[in-house]
Structures are given as C-alpha cells and as structure tokens.
Amino acid sequence: MNIVTLLPFIVLIGAMFLMTRSAKKKQQAAAAMRNEMQPGTGIRTIGGMYATVKEVHDEAVLLEVAPGVHAVYAKNSIGAVLDDDEYNRIVHGTEDDLNEDAPVVPDDASSLTETDEPADASDDSRIDLGKKDAAAEADEAQPKKTDGESDAK
C-alpha cells in the first residue's frame, strides 16, 4: 500500500481523536463544577431555572426554587454554578455597577417620533397600504359582468 492512500484515513482518525478529547475535557469540567457545589450556592439548571442549593447528595441536589419551595433535581441537570454576584444580579435584579451618568434609553420609540406640533394637530386619516399595479387598476375600470353575461362566444 502507498502512503498516499492511507493519508485520508490517518487524517480522519486524528480528527476523531481531537473531537473526543475536547468533549471529554468538557464533561470533566462540568463534573468538577457540579462536585464543587455547596449549600448556599446559586445555580442555573439546564432548563433555565435559577435556584439556591440547600443539600448536596451523591446523585441528587435539593434546591430552593423560591422561599420555602424546595425541589429535588439530579446533579446532571445543573447547567451552571454561579458566583454570588452574578446570581444576585440575575435573580434579585441588583446591579452594583450601574452608571448613573449614562443616558436612559426609553422602552418605546415615543421619544424618537416627537414633533413640535401638538398631538391633536396630527393627521389621523387612514393610509391605504395595499399594492395596486396598473393591471389591477385597469380591471377595476372595466364594467363588471352580471350573472347572465359571460366572455364565451
């Protein structure tokens, strides 16, 4: 056999090795993250729910979803362990780094459409947004046929 014929197989085997190696590293990092959970830690589940860890067992975790509401989840369902600042910012809406000098952006576009004239002076007539081409206008100009008439000759 020639080395040129074996080269594609060698490249495929190398690519498969690299892909499985990176996937294994990601799994090990996720397992380490789940093992470092402690009671009082804020987490996000793979479903997107934020909760606080109350108890950690071998395969399960007791989470406090809301004050006084507890749920048992599998450790594999924990998507991320959050640090305290990030958890408080997301769940409680507290942000310590708000810039008070930054301009406030309104939720709607009303500030972008303001004019100098009063609101009651605006023209509130209906605007026809339908498309009309020359052929449609020509069809409308021809008289309509009644029940007894037809184009057949």
Side-chain angles (χ1 to χ4, degrees), residues 87-95 98:
Y87 180 76
N88 288 331
R89 180 182 60 81
I90 293 171
V91 174
H92 303 297
T94 59
E95 292 196 30
L98 279 178

Side-chain angles (χ1 to χ4, degrees), residues 30-135:
M33 173 211 41
R34 289 182 187 115
N35 289 332
E36 71 184 30
M37 281 188 302
Q38 297 177 356
T41 306
I43 59 100
R44 181 183 66 236
T45 65
I46 57 175
M49 182 181 67
Y50 293 91
T52 305
V53 176
K54 286 299 179 184
E55 295 178 11
V56 179
H57 301 288
D58 291 337
E59 295 295 321
V61 180
L62 180 67
L63 301 177
E64 185 176 29
V65 179
V69 179
H70 296 93
V72 178
Y73 276 77
K75 267 190 176 180
N76 291 339
S77 67
I78 305 302
V81 176
L82 308 173
D83 60 351
D84 290 336
D85 294 336
E86 184 178 6
Y87 180 76
N88 288 331
R89 180 182 60 81
I90 293 171
V91 174
H92 303 297
T94 59
E95 292 196 30
D96 298 331
D97 57 346
L98 279 178
N99 187 359
E100 297 297 327
D101 297 334
V104 177
V105 179
D107 291 339
D108 59 354
S110 63
S111 65
L112 301 175
T113 59
E114 290 180 3
T115 59
D116 292 336
E117 52 187 67
D120 56 337
S122 66
D123 184 20
D124 290 336
S125 62
R126 296 189 73 154
I127 300 173
D128 184 19
L129 298 176
K131 284 179 130 181
K132 287 190 177 182
D133 56 356

